[in-house]
Amino acid sequence: MVAGKGKKYCGEHATMEEDGGGSRRIICPLDPKHTVTEDRLQKHLKKCNSREKPKPVRCSIDPSIDRSRSLSERSRTELESLLDKLKTDSVLSHPALHDELNNPKNGDSAHKHLKHFYCAGFSA
């Protein structure tokens, strides 16, 4: 990083600046290898690459199903077996899913994906 005009240090090392010149930079609590301005910490924590990532969704009908392969890569026998399971199993749900479906902060796109998991019998 390059130091700004009239600055002795770059943004990453601005904590060493004596006059500060603005919001104080602090070490990121998720990763001490970088800093963030104190007033933007909450926003940063939501998008920091070091935050805990959501776990992949598993098929609740059959957790052994390999979700990394698309339907077009599966044999007819595998597809028929999956369809049989879908026809016999009831739709699974979870209170957290209902909460998210009723959350007004979720937009149309989020609702579309949540309904897909609900209707397909997947649980988070």
Side-chain angles (χ1 to χ4, degrees):
M1 295 179 75
V2 179
K5 188 175 182 177
K7 301 286 184 180
K8 186 175 178 182
Y9 298 99
C10 69
E12 193 63 31
H13 295 99
T15 55
M16 301 174 79
E17 200 83 55
E18 283 146 19
D19 65 348
S23 184
R24 186 171 76 103
R25 291 189 76 82
I26 58 172
I27 295 172
C28 173
L30 302 176
D31 182 0
K33 294 177 188 158
H34 67 271
T35 62
V36 61
T37 56
E38 194 170 30
D39 61 340
R40 293 187 181 172
L41 177 62
Q42 293 308 313
K43 184 175 180 180
H44 170 77
L45 292 175
K46 293 176 184 174
K47 64 180 183 176
C48 180
N49 289 335
S50 298
R51 73 188 182 287
E52 187 174 324
K53 308 291 190 290
K55 297 190 177 23
V57 176
R58 291 260 178 225
C59 175
S60 60
I61 295 169
D62 186 351
S64 68
I65 292 175
D66 177 10
R67 300 267 321 265
S68 64
R69 290 175 42 220
S70 69
L71 292 175
S72 63
E73 297 173 309
R74 298 178 188 277
S75 69
R76 183 176 185 90
T77 307
E78 284 180 289
L79 292 173
E80 288 174 349
S81 173
L82 180 58
L83 284 172
D84 289 341
K85 288 178 185 178
L86 287 170
K87 289 175 186 174
T88 59
D89 289 346
S90 62
V91 174
L92 300 176
S93 184
H94 191 275
L97 178 62
H98 292 285
D99 293 345
E100 290 304 312
L101 282 170
N102 295 320
N103 185 342
K105 291 182 180 178
N106 287 325
D108 292 338
S109 179
H111 280 112
K112 179 181 81 172
H113 292 288
L114 289 166
K115 287 176 185 175
H116 165 75
F117 284 116
Y118 178 76
C119 295
F122 290 87
S123 64

